[in-house]
Amino acid sequence: MGEVEDILKDYEVKKEGEAEILMLASNAVFFNPVQVHNRDMSIAVLRTFVAKRKEEYEELMNKRNNKSNKKGNQVETPVVNGDTALTSQHDEIGVVHEKETNQPTNEIEDLSKEETKTPSRKVTRELKPPIVLEALAASGLRSLRYAREVDGLGKVVALDNDKASIEACKRNIKFNGASAISKVEAHLADARVYMLTHPKEFDVVDLDPYGSPSVFLDSAVQAVADGGLLMCTATDLAVLCGTNGEVCYSKYGSYPVKGKYCHEMALRILLACIESHANRYKRYIVPVLSVYMDFYVRVFVRVFTSASEIKNTPLKLSYVYQCAGCDSFHLQSLGRTVTKNNSLKHAPGIGPVVPQECSDCGKKFNVGGPIWSAPIHDQDWVLSTLTDVRQMKDRYPAYNKITSVLTTVSEELHEIPLFFSLHNISGTVKCTSPSAVMFRSAVINAGYQISSSHCNPLGLKSDAPWDVIWDIMRCWVKNHPIKEQPRDSPGTAILSKSPQLEVCYLFRLQCPLYACM
């Protein structure tokens, strides 16, 4: 006992969730306690992935068993060396892989070992536990939490190219006992080389670098198995949010524009970049959750292989036209589809979607992008994750934070890219801001949808066109007069136009807003 105390006297024990790590007083190995939000969110999504993966596998097996039963009524199954050789099933695997690219097809054990024959010709195969790769492990805390807190995981591989970090990681694995030793292994390696030499080997790949993940994305999209999960963090928000647009373009292949929606745009730039890397290998992504928290953005995407599906990528990307004078922004899709002679063909997008000058204030537009303009969340995944988190409250140190983010995400309009700020548009016309309840009611009563944004507590997402938004503000200013503004200001240009939609405001919250016309 005394020897153990002597060994531990130079270390401080840090506990998070069910994992404990030993940290030197000098803090030679990077450890950020604030990232508990990131790790908790990742564990929550990983639990959902394990459950969804099992559901999809069972559904796939049921489909194959049904096909096998139908074929079994017509063709005898050959027997080789006393074992059942379901040759038709071998052929079907490739067919299903092409038709159902969203299914985890690489998770099936060796058919010669797993196929069994029952009186009903039901085929049963064992689903392998998912293998996780943490590409930048440092102290190994994240890998240890995955191994100890997420049920149903197989091996967890922790990588780092820093010798001190790997030594600390191995020390922490031993410190967490047999459960960690049996699941977690640490390797001193360059993550990029390791992922390139292990293609489609990992069901989950976690990238959480300090800064930009761009240099790891090309190898990461190759290392993820079909239907697997890629979790990626970017902390270089100054670059992604438009402070250094040229640097953002060099790293992510997209030019950001400054706006209140900058953090959501950062998410969409990162998603577009991942999709671009995946497309080079006939792969594509399906985002299940994308969040902005604290000082970083974090995306969770599934990776699939399909040469035909990547043709739809231009439909998911758009350029952004941001007015330099007011808050109006417009999206220009990169591509479109055309139906001709009962066949669907892909074509370039038709543009521009805006004139040279803003129709609202008369100023010029700045152009940014391309960004991911398709949904950045999967509502089913978000609700499943939120339900699971609420049922396991005691197992999440950052429970309050991640439930608040997930709840807000679940209430977002997922089909609407970007958002605007009510305070900003009020500032443009130099008026006091209407309450959020009043403004939301006006939009709803005009026949449109509106929601909040998890990226900004003052942000509003809506499918209402900008002429409707500005009409609501014109009606507000009509009832709440403002001082005369300079003639060349954007606000003056906006208010000089007569509203096409008249809205009367009732100030009692229990009364809805209604259209006068």
Side-chain angles (χ1 to χ4, degrees):
M1 188 67 181
E3 294 180 0
V4 174
E5 291 178 353
D6 290 339
I7 295 174
L8 296 180
K9 67 180 181 180
D10 295 329
Y11 296 95
E12 180 183 356
V13 177
K14 300 280 188 180
K15 181 176 174 62
E16 184 180 290
E18 297 178 17
E20 293 180 321
I21 61 172
L22 298 172
M23 292 296 297
L24 284 167
S26 60
N27 198 22
V29 178
F30 182 76
F31 167 68
N32 188 352
V34 178
Q35 286 286 68
V36 63
H37 301 156
N38 186 313
R39 290 184 282 267
D40 269 14
M41 185 68 79
S42 301
I43 288 171
V45 175
L46 191 51
R47 284 181 173 138
T48 303
F49 170 72
V50 172
K52 294 283 186 184
R53 178 175 176 265
K54 185 177 180 181
E55 290 175 7
E56 292 172 357
Y57 178 82
E58 290 173 350
E59 182 181 351
L60 179 62
M61 287 298 99
N62 288 335
K63 289 182 179 179
R64 291 183 177 179
N65 286 329
N66 291 336
K67 290 180 181 179
S68 177
N69 289 338
K70 290 179 181 179
K71 290 186 177 182
N73 294 331
Q74 301 173 356
V75 182
E76 287 293 329
T77 303
V79 178
V80 181
N81 296 330
D83 294 328
T84 304
L86 299 179
T87 54
S88 62
Q89 286 293 320
H90 283 271
D91 296 337
E92 287 174 24
I93 289 174
V95 176
V96 173
H97 178 69
E98 286 295 323
K99 292 182 178 179
E100 300 173 315
T101 55
N102 286 14
Q103 302 297 334
T105 56
N106 68 315
E107 300 150 352
I108 304 173
E109 290 281 5
D110 184 3
L111 297 179
S112 62
K113 297 180 181 179
E114 299 299 330
E115 290 179 351
T116 58
K117 183 179 179 181
T118 64
S120 63
R121 295 186 182 275
K122 182 177 180 180
V123 179
T124 57
R125 303 182 185 89
E126 181 183 350
L127 176 64
K128 288 182 178 180
I131 303 174
V132 181
L133 172 69
E134 185 187 3
L136 305 155
S139 65
L141 174 59
R142 187 183 296 263
S143 293
L144 290 168
R145 289 198 63 188
Y146 288 167
R148 298 196 62 171
E149 299 181 35
V150 182
D151 297 332
L153 285 187
K155 182 172 63 175
V156 180
V157 179
L159 303 179
D160 208 293
N161 64 352
D162 179 63
K163 188 176 181 180
S165 295
I166 289 300
E167 289 175 354
C169 188
K170 291 180 177 179
R171 181 169 58 245
N172 291 327
I173 292 171
K174 292 180 180 179
F175 186 67
N176 279 267
S179 62
I181 294 172
S182 63
K183 280 191 174 184
V184 186
E185 56 183 57
H187 299 286
L188 178 64
D190 186 316
R192 294 167 294 183
V193 176
Y194 192 92
M195 289 188 288
L196 283 173
T197 53
H198 295 77
K200 295 187 179 181
E201 187 171 313
F202 300 99
D203 300 288
V204 180
V205 173
D206 192 326
L207 295 177
D208 187 26
Y210 184 78
S212 172
S214 58
V215 296
F216 301 101
L217 293 179
D218 197 75
S219 51
V221 296
Q222 298 180 69
V224 183
D226 280 334
L229 184 68
L230 173 61
M231 306 187 284
C232 181
T233 302
T235 61
D236 56 334
L237 291 189
V239 171
L240 285 165
C241 290
T243 302
N244 305 103
E246 67 285 356
V247 178
C248 182
Y249 185 81
S250 67
K251 289 185 176 182
Y252 297 97
S254 182
Y255 209 100
V257 291
K258 292 184 178 180
K260 278 295 179 180
Y261 50 70
C262 62
H263 294 122
E264 183 178 330
M265 190 171 191
L267 284 168
R268 294 181 179 277
I269 288 174
L270 178 57
L271 288 171
C273 184
I274 298 173
E275 174 80 350
S276 174
H277 284 285
N279 287 169
R280 296 165 195 172
Y281 308 100
K282 297 181 180 180
R283 312 194 83 185
Y284 67 99
I285 65 169
V286 177
V288 295
L289 178 65
S290 308
V291 295
Y292 160 67
M293 295 194 302
D294 302 326
F295 55 90
Y296 56 87
V297 290
R298 175 86 161 160
V299 298
F300 302 84
V301 303
R302 300 189 71 182
V303 182
F304 300 102
T305 303
S306 173
S308 59
E309 182 62 30
I310 62 174
K311 295 178 182 178
N312 294 322
T313 293
L315 307 177
K316 307 171 188 175
L317 303 176
S318 296
Y319 287 101
V320 181
Y321 288 87
Q322 172 64 62
C323 177
C326 64
D327 297 86
S328 303
F329 61 85
H330 306 269
L331 271 66
Q332 166 69 64
S333 179
L334 215 60
R336 60 190 172 96
T337 55
V338 180
T339 303
K340 188 175 182 180
N341 298 328
N342 295 325
S343 63
L344 191 68
K345 295 186 177 182
H346 293 78
I350 297 177
V353 293
V354 294
Q356 283 288 317
E357 296 180 347
C358 176
S359 58
D360 296 309
C361 70
K363 302 298 182 181
K364 299 290 186 180
F365 285 98
N366 292 322
V367 184
I371 66 169
W372 181 272
S373 54
I376 60 176
H377 314 294
D378 183 306
Q379 180 73 348
D380 182 48
W381 274 68
V382 173
L383 293 176
S384 297
T385 304
L386 181 58
T387 301
D388 180 72
V389 169
R390 286 173 173 166
Q391 291 173 349
M392 308 175 74
K393 178 178 179 179
D394 296 337
R395 299 187 67 181
Y396 292 98
Y399 172 81
N400 292 335
K401 175 67 174 182
I402 64 173
T403 50
S404 63
V405 172
L406 288 171
T407 300
T408 309
V409 167
S410 69
E411 296 170 352
E412 283 186 3
L413 290 174
H414 294 170
E415 301 292 333
I416 307 300
L418 308 180
F419 60 88
F420 60 89
S421 168
L422 182 55
H423 285 195
N424 264 44
I425 62 175
S426 298
T428 299
V429 295
K430 308 299 181 185
C431 70
T432 58
S433 175
S435 71
V437 173
M438 284 185 175
F439 190 85
R440 283 171 178 249
S441 298
V443 172
I444 292 170
N445 279 276
Y448 299 96
Q449 301 179 82
I450 190 167
S451 76
S452 57
S453 169
H454 82 277
C455 293
N456 189 325
L458 299 175
L460 294 172
K461 286 176 167 285
S462 178
D463 58 351
W466 275 101
D467 54 356
V468 171
I469 299 297
W470 290 124
D471 271 357
I472 292 173
M473 295 308 297
R474 291 182 186 109
C475 293
W476 171 257
V477 172
K478 185 177 179 181
N479 290 283
H480 299 79
I482 61 172
K483 295 179 180 179
E484 186 176 351
Q485 302 298 320
R487 291 184 178 182
D488 60 345
S489 70
T492 300
I494 291 170
L495 296 177
S496 64
K497 299 175 182 179
S498 299
Q500 300 298 313
L501 173 71
E502 292 286 351
V503 180
C504 288
Y505 292 87
L506 303 177
F507 296 100
R508 294 184 180 180
L509 298 184
Q510 66 269 27
C511 296
L513 304 185
Y514 60 90
C516 293
M517 297 180 65

